[in-house]
Amino acid sequence: MSSFEQKSAGTIETPMPSAGRPGQQPAVLVVEDDPNMREYLREALAASGCACTAFSGSLAALAYLATAPEIPDLVLSDIDMPGMSGMELLRTVRTVAPDLPFILISGLCEL
């Protein structure tokens, strides 16, 4: 059983193509519980030439990573989410993919 394997608690927004390698689009995994922000991030990343897979929660993202054929090039995650926070997601991902770039974002003024 993979360290990523968990029950899914979110929704898959877009299937991810192969991870960004030379000649391919960079693959970004977005984890954001706010649907408007999730859609904005997807559109902005797509406009920048990235392939984007988006989830509404950390557990769904972990379930996806457990079965994904390739690890994405970047994870972009909200910090404050119901269930597993972005910080907890980061810690879990680091145990399996320590070199995976990970950006935490938040719309909160106080953390």
Side-chain angles (χ1 to χ4, degrees):
M1 179 178 212
S2 165
S3 296
F4 284 130
E5 290 180 14
Q6 306 256 342
K7 286 189 175 181
S8 175
T11 58
I12 297 176
E13 298 290 331
T14 306
M16 184 179 80
S18 58
R21 303 292 176 254
Q24 297 178 349
Q25 294 175 297
V28 180
L29 178 64
V30 172
V31 187
E32 170 61 64
D33 62 318
D34 180 275
N36 294 324
M37 179 57 76
R38 188 170 58 248
E39 183 60 25
Y40 171 77
L41 291 169
R42 284 182 32 171
E43 290 176 6
L45 289 164
S48 297
C50 296
C52 180
T53 303
F55 294 91
S56 62
S58 296
L59 296 178
L62 286 172
Y64 173 78
L65 287 169
T67 60
E70 294 185 339
I71 293 176
D73 298 300
L74 171 71
V75 176
L76 179 62
S77 176
D78 188 10
I79 294 173
D80 186 39
M81 294 182 288
M84 179 184 278
S85 73
M87 286 299 295
E88 293 170 305
L89 175 62
L90 170 62
R91 287 184 195 108
T92 302
V93 168
R94 284 283 182 256
T95 64
V96 179
D99 297 326
L100 176 61
F102 203 109
I103 298 173
L104 291 167
I105 59 173
S106 180
L108 298 178
C109 295
E110 296 179 26
L111 293 176

